[in-house]
Amino acid sequence: MSDLSTIKGVTKPMLARLAKLGLQRADDLLLHLPLRHVDETRLTPIRDLRVGEQAQVEGEIIHAETLSRPRRALICQLQDDVGGLLHLRFLHFYPSQVAMLKTGARIRAFGEARPGFFGLEMVHPQCHVARDEMPLSAALTPIYPTTAGLSQAMLRKLVRWALQQGDLGEILPTAIYAGLQLPDFAVSLNFLHGPPPDTPIESLQQRSGPAWRRLAFDELLAQQLSMRRHHARRRSQGAPRLEPQRYLTNALLDALPFVMTGAQQRVWAQISLDLSTPHPMQRLLQGDVGSGKTIVSALAALQAIENGWQAALMAPTEILAEQHYRKLHDWLTPLGVNVYWLSGTQTKVMRTASLAAVADGTAQIAIGTHALFQEQVQFAKLGLAIIDEQHRFGVHQRLALRQKGRLPHQLMMSATPIPRTLAMGYYADLDVSVIDELPPGRTPVVTKLVSDSRRGEVLTRVRDACQQGRQAYWVCPLIEESEALQLKTALETHELLTAALPGLNIGLVHGRMKPNEKQAVMQAFNANEVHLLVATTVIEVGVDVPNASLMVIEHAERMGLSQLHQLRGRVGRGSTESACFLLFQAPLSDTARARLKIIFENTDGFAIARADLNLRGPGEFLGIRQSGVPLLKIADLERDADLLEAARKIADQLLREQPQAAELHLQRWLGQTGDYVKV
Ligand code: ADP
Ligand code: MG
């Protein structure tokens, strides 16, 4: 009944395209809601058209010509029955359009009127031939999210089918909706898929009317239910109880040259407690760049090791993993702990040795890139998995880890703070700890915006600083289109700087170097043998060289906010005053200007993250748009904050009192296998 393939005219390739949009059942089509609506219910006389407004007009083509200069264009004059005249302009067009829009044809056109060379015109209006007595739409026309090869007309047809064949009945007690003053499911869907002609388009667009709110609530409820289910599943699973023995952890704390901040001690206490429970920990440790997450993770690893279990620490880049390895090696080896290194690029002999040590338990802690969690890697007794810069890993990598034998405790770390509402929505399954304090003695980084035309001055600053024994980074622009081009720029920059700054030792590190080459350069930089390090964005996450106090970022206008914040966080780690020069290429676009202003005015990662979220939206921000995990499509966590509160309460209530209804609701929204939970 609800099988899409039984619908007339639906072909196999079309089914594949529908599946790409997540449309496999009648339920999915019902919940495939319009992006926007257009009004094709009336005809506007041409003389009443207003600039900037969308409207539908009908008339006869009285002249049509194809121009080749100044550029190729198809221009038609449309005259309506009361003599109004409108130009239709097409810059891209097919022969079929030229054929349709010929002199004498009666055409219905929908588009936005704007001032043109010959008076009002529409550019690329939607046109079709108007046959005699062709009725106008009875409802506003929905425009659906779609994909190549799937027309709006086809989607409309399918949705109409679903509205007739699908189940529009209520699943939950209607009292719930009455209490929230939300309309029926059927009423809401019929309304949104074809609003009556007098519905203000504005209000539909804002998605704040009752019909939208009803569906937003249902979606949020499904999300909350899914997360609770997930959480319950986790609580029902066993994990090793890793109680604090304190002989290793205290030994490390005693050996440190610093005392942990209050915030570090607080989060460490939370983690330590989690590890001692018999359920797998899933904790996200958030802390701004430089807040000192590494030491906390080292302590967590030691608590596992104290109990005879292994720990693993995974980092997203080779450079970062290598740095962690060195640091943990220095911290832990004196305590008698065996620290091992594992990466996809180490020599076969080394790798085989590491794998063996991991498998027989000799390796008490293994540190590496995601190579650490590939199939061949078998841990003897993995008790704790630590994932640094968690937001850089795909969801699938995290899942792979989770499926490795018995569930280890998991500690995820991130310097990209997630604003509260977003965390509630997307990470409700995780426990979150926040380090909200930087270690003392840091000097704030002074940020300067400098037009590219003044790079000479920046060069002088860098030279003077390096001559005084300080160190600097020079970050090459991100060139998304081409890694090869980025590499070329890095090489050229290195060459230019070497020529411009004689007497300084200038290093180069980029993504295409072999790991041991990278490692050698980073070590030389660490040891202050290299004064100035030219780098691509490979140094973005986690690199820690306290003596480096200057950073120059080229083409800062091309970079994302969080990325800039992360990069800037590489300096200001020691006690010398630090500065970050953001070179930009004028003129700036409005968005670029807005971005740079935010990074210039803020040093707090949370403030920057919020601004970034606003600019890019949650999918991009969390890096999960491409992950195939469904995001909220209807609800907006900020706009619908009240509904989110309600959904949280009602989810708890339903699971207690009507678990079956909860299950059916989940099926309607997510299908059999769908899941909102990310980690
Ligand atoms: P992030 O949170 O960005 O990963 P790191 O763990 O790399 O930060 O710490 C940044 C630097 O601060 C490191 O050099 C680390 O040793 C140092 N550090 C960490 N905690 C403290 C502290 N409480 N006091 C002084 N320095 C600290
Ligand atoms: Mg770090």
Side-chain angles (χ1 to χ4, degrees), residues 98-112:
V98 179
M100 173 171 78
L101 297 166
K102 60 179 189 290
T103 307
R106 194 165 174 82
I107 294 294
R108 211 172 259 184
F110 183 93
E112 183 184 311

Side-chain angles (χ1 to χ4, degrees), residues 287-294 320 323-324 388-389 413-415 541-544 566 570 573:
D288 208 344
V289 184
S291 61
K293 297 182 289 293
T294 316
L320 186 52
Q323 180 181 283
H324 280 324
D388 195 19
E389 307 295 347
M413 306 198 282
S414 176
V541 285
V543 173
D544 182 33
Q566 293 262 339
R570 300 307 117 221
R573 299 191 152 226

Side-chain angles (χ1 to χ4, degrees), residues 622-672:
L622 292 174
I624 48 184
R625 197 212 285 289
Q626 256 74 45
S627 68
V629 181
L631 286 165
L632 291 172
K633 290 189 203 125
I634 303 167
D636 176 309
L637 294 170
E638 298 283 340
R639 183 190 61 216
D640 302 320
D642 63 321
L643 295 177
L644 175 60
E645 277 313 321
R648 286 155 66 91
K649 280 206 203 83
I650 288 170
D652 287 332
Q653 185 194 329
L654 276 177
L655 288 171
R656 257 193 334 266
E657 296 165 9
Q658 281 163 299
Q660 268 143 330
E663 185 55 39
L664 287 176
H665 184 80
L666 273 172
Q667 278 180 21
R668 170 177 277 176
W669 279 84
L670 302 179
Q672 306 292 341

Side-chain angles (χ1 to χ4, degrees), residues 325-529:
Y325 172 70
R326 250 187 301 118
K327 189 165 241 173
L328 271 79
H329 191 271
D330 289 353
W331 279 342
L332 306 189
T333 312
L335 309 180
V337 172
N338 292 324
V339 185
Y340 275 77
W341 165 247
L342 197 73
S343 93
T345 48
Q346 69 194 137
T347 63
K348 192 136 192 266
V349 178
M350 300 284 284
R351 187 170 159 78
T352 310
S354 287
L355 284 174
V358 165
D360 70 14
T362 316
Q364 290 169 292
I365 176 164
I367 298 167
T369 54
H370 48 257
L372 205 49
F373 294 109
Q374 277 156 5
E375 279 312 308
Q376 327 83 291
V377 189
Q378 290 298 334
F379 284 85
K381 233 184 144 185
L382 183 62
L384 169 67
I386 303 165
I387 301 157
D388 195 19
E389 307 295 347
Q390 163 264 354
H391 58 284
R392 298 282 303 249
F393 286 100
V395 174
H396 300 302
Q397 273 158 333
R398 277 179 273 152
L399 288 176
L401 160 69
R402 181 182 243 205
Q403 282 149 7
K404 238 183 153 51
R406 205 176 350 206
L407 275 190
H409 293 281
Q410 268 189 58
L411 177 63
M412 287 147 272
M413 306 198 282
S414 176
T416 301
I418 296 158
R420 199 183 79 93
T421 41
L422 202 57
M424 271 181 5
Y426 289 105
Y427 288 94
D429 183 47
L430 290 185
D431 301 306
V432 180
S433 295
V434 181
I435 305 184
D436 52 6
E437 179 184 359
L438 290 182
R442 299 276 168 85
T443 42
V445 181
V446 177
T447 301
K448 301 212 161 127
L449 296 177
V450 184
S451 161
D452 197 49
S453 55
R454 290 172 46 207
R455 58 196 296 132
E457 296 165 38
V458 175
L459 214 61
T460 312
R461 270 291 291 272
V462 169
R463 189 195 58 207
D464 293 351
C466 289
Q467 280 169 352
Q468 287 160 22
R470 294 160 67 188
Q471 288 172 277
Y473 296 98
W474 194 290
V475 182
C476 293
L478 183 70
I479 300 174
E480 285 189 335
E481 313 86 69
S482 149
E483 203 192 336
L485 204 57
Q486 176 161 20
L487 179 61
K488 179 163 167 278
T489 329
L491 295 172
E492 282 170 5
T493 309
H494 180 250
E495 218 165 277
L496 282 173
L497 289 173
T498 307
L501 303 170
L504 291 186
N505 202 352
I506 303 181
L508 172 65
V509 61
H510 57 75
R512 280 297 182 82
M513 283 162 75
K514 294 222 175 68
N516 56 343
E517 294 169 352
K518 277 190 225 171
Q519 188 180 326
V521 177
M522 291 309 291
Q523 249 160 26
F525 190 58
N526 237 328
N528 200 358
E529 286 152 20

Side-chain angles (χ1 to χ4, degrees), residues 449-450 555-561 564 582-601 611-612 615-616:
L449 296 177
V450 184
H555 279 290
E557 79 278 4
R558 289 186 194 167
M559 302 210 191
L561 277 182
L564 283 172
L582 303 179
L583 288 178
F584 63 87
Q585 191 91 55
L588 286 174
S589 72
D590 287 347
T591 349
R593 186 180 301 277
R595 273 217 295 264
L596 290 179
K597 186 161 178 285
I598 290 165
I599 205 82
F600 177 70
E601 288 174 349
D612 199 18
L615 282 176
R616 294 195 295 160

